[in-house]
């Protein structure tokens, strides 16, 4: 975890923060919303778990540090899947004892 935190802000995000903002959906989970809460921080709102969210901070090489507000869910690195300047999806994981497989959320 410390190694991931040390990577935050090492590189400049090549895309605008606003390009990641929006609603994403997964056929099993449903919808999440990603919004910008600070100049360099995004937040994921899990619409089926009203008290759960996660912050996203850009590290480097297209990877983001994802930290849940409930530490039991974990701290992970993640990537958005992009096509040029278009954001297509994001893969989201939680600690294995909660759910083993990651979920892919497609931007609407």
């Amino acid at each position: 975890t410390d190694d991931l935190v040390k990577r935050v802000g090492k590189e400049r995000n090549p895309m605008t923060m606003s390009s990641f903002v929006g609603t994403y959906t997964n056929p099993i989970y449903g919808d999440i919303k990603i919004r910008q809460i600070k100049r360099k921080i995004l937040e994921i709102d899990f619409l089926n778990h009203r008290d759960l969210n996660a912050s996203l901070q850009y590290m480097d090489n297209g990877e983001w540090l994802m930290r849940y507000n409930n530490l039991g869910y974990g701290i992970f690195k993640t990537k958005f899947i992009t096509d040029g300047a278009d954001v297509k999806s994001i893969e989201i994981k939680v600690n294995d004892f909660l759910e083993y497989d990651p979920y892919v959320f497609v931007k609407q």
Side-chain angles (χ1 to χ4, degrees):
T1 306
D2 288 342
D3 290 341
L4 294 176
V5 172
K6 288 177 186 173
R7 289 174 52 198
V8 170
K10 291 285 185 184
E11 286 183 11
R12 189 170 184 270
N13 181 355
M15 297 176 68
T16 64
M17 292 293 272
S18 62
S19 61
F20 301 99
V21 171
T23 300
Y24 295 70
T25 192
N26 173 279
I28 296 169
Y29 178 85
D31 291 347
I32 61 172
K33 286 194 185 273
I34 296 181
R35 58 193 173 96
Q36 186 173 352
I37 60 168
K38 292 188 179 174
R39 191 167 71 84
K40 294 184 177 183
I41 301 175
L42 299 173
E43 185 170 86
I44 303 171
D45 293 317
F46 295 87
L47 302 183
N48 289 333
H49 294 88
R50 292 284 181 200
D51 58 344
L52 183 65
N53 60 51
S55 65
L56 294 169
Q57 293 176 281
Y58 189 74
M59 294 187 299
D60 52 38
N61 299 316
E63 292 184 329
W64 295 74
L65 175 64
M66 183 174 75
R67 288 188 253 209
Y68 289 93
N69 64 325
N70 178 335
L71 291 180
Y73 283 77
I75 298 172
F76 301 97
K77 62 182 176 180
T78 190
K79 276 189 169 191
F80 286 90
I81 303 304
T82 59
D83 182 9
D86 293 330
V87 176
K88 299 295 186 186
S89 64
I90 184 173
E91 184 175 276
I92 294 181
K93 179 166 180 35
V94 297
N95 277 326
D96 287 345
F97 67 85
L98 295 170
E99 177 70 46
Y100 186 74
D101 293 321
Y103 285 81
V104 174
F105 289 84
V106 177
K107 190 171 186 195
Q108 300 302 290

